């Protein structure tokens, strides 16, 4: 079945550092790709998504580009803030009986120190 | 604001005592999902409803059931909770399938503790 592999955490950075969280996927077709963020004690929120090859998703300074040739969707941010501390999940979608099923990576815990 | 609401946020139950978790949505979405998220793990899909059609994941234990009496509400019933069922339970919704690109909207989750 389809799967997602994420860079293992935890990741600790200083404020204003450059962030990269690696994500690669295995899929039989051409799934949509997502990054979700989970702040402490909360549910998941969509951060960004891309629906086809070479699409770039962006939001709140975060970016990720759908790379079909390397089956990757790495998350980047040029200058992180303390408020970016959270767990980040890469996910792909597959179709299950008329609805969308998300397959998540294992998550990467990010801590930003002031 | 339109949202996905889960109640309660924290639920304590006893080993073997049935428990029900609830989810409601004001988004009028056709699809509702239940995920189980254990500590430091990714969410795992238990089942979903496409309108009234129930779809169970192959590896979801029979101990877990669900009901969707109307578009807005969905319930997760755990018939005989075991210690291994302690987890965060996340409800999510999405509109109709659109080639897999639809965003899923998650509630804040219910953390279940089994004593």
């Amino acid at each position: 079945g389809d799967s997602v592999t994420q860079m293992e955490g935890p990741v600790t950075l200083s404020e204003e550092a450059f962030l990269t969280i690696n994500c690669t996927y295995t899929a039989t077709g051409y799934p949509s790709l997502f990054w979700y963020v989970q702040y402490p004690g909360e549910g998941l929120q969509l951060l960004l998504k891309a629906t086809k090859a070479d699409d770039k998703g962006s939001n709140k300074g975060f970016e990720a580009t759908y790379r079909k040739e390397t089956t990757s969707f790495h998350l980047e941010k040029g200058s992180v803030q303390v408020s970016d501390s959270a767990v980040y999940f890469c996910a792909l979608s597959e179709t299950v009986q008329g609805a969308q099923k998300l397959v998540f990576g294992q998550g990467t815990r990010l801590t930003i120190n002031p | 604001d339109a949202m996905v609401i889960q109640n309660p946020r924290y639920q304590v139950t006893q080993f073997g005592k049935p428990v029900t978790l609830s989810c409601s949505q004001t988004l009028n979405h056709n699809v509702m999902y239940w995920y189980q998220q254990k500590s430091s793990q990714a969410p795992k899909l238990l089942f979903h409803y496409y309108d009234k059609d129930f779809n169970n994941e192959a590896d979801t234990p029979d101990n877990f059931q669900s009901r969707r009496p109307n578009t807005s509400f969905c319930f997760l019933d755990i018939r005989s909770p075991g210690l291994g069922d302690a987890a965060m339970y996340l409800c999510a919704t999405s509109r109709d399938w659109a080639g897999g690109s639809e965003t899923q909207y998650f509630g804040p989750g219910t953390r279940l503790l089994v004593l």
Side-chain angles (χ1 to χ4, degrees), chain A residues 35 46-50 55-65 73 75-76:
Chain A
W35 278 100
L46 178 69
L47 181 59
L48 52 85
K49 68 180 183 182
D55 266 4
K56 177 185 282 187
S58 61
N59 185 27
K60 299 181 180 179
F62 291 89
E63 292 183 340
T65 301
F73 193 55
L75 182 68
E76 296 183 337

Side-chain angles (χ1 to χ4, degrees), chain A residues 41-53:
Chain A
E42 298 185 12
L44 278 71
Q45 301 174 27
L46 178 69
L47 181 59
L48 52 85
K49 68 180 183 182
T51 59
K52 61 184 186 296

Side-chain angles (χ1 to χ4, degrees), chain B residues 70-90:
Chain B
N70 54 53
T71 299
S72 300
F73 285 87
C74 195
F75 300 98
L76 170 62
D77 300 309
I78 308 177
R79 292 192 296 188
S80 181
L83 298 178
D85 296 328
M88 175 78 88
Y89 290 88
L90 297 168

Side-chain angles (χ1 to χ4, degrees), chain A residues 30-32 34 36 38 41-46 49 51 89 93-102 104-107 109, chain B residues 9 31 33 35 37 40-43 45 48 50 55 57 88 90 94 96-97 99-109:
Chain A
Y30 300 101
S32 293
F34 304 81
Y36 278 84
Q38 187 173 32
E42 298 185 12
L44 278 71
Q45 301 174 27
L46 178 69
K49 68 180 183 182
T51 59
F89 290 95
S93 66
E94 57 183 23
T95 305
V96 176
Q97 295 172 310
Q100 173 206 57
K101 174 181 175 179
L102 288 175
F104 289 93
Q106 66 269 39
R109 182 176 298 278
Chain B
R9 293 294 305 273
V31 192
Y33 308 79
Y35 290 86
Q37 185 181 23
S40 300
Q41 296 184 19
L45 183 64
H48 74 272
Y50 185 86
N55 298 278
E57 291 297 294
M88 175 78 88
L90 297 168
S94 69
D96 290 330
W97 174 67
S101 63
E102 282 297 315
T103 297
Q104 287 191 19
Y105 295 84
F106 284 80

Side-chain angles (χ1 to χ4, degrees), chain A residues 7-8 11-12 18 20 23 26-28 31-32 64 79 81 83 111-112:
Chain A
M7 169 181 174
E8 289 193 16
V11 174
T12 302
F18 184 86
T20 300
C23 171
T26 302
T28 52
S32 293
S79 176
Q81 306 300 313
S83 58
T111 301
I112 307 299

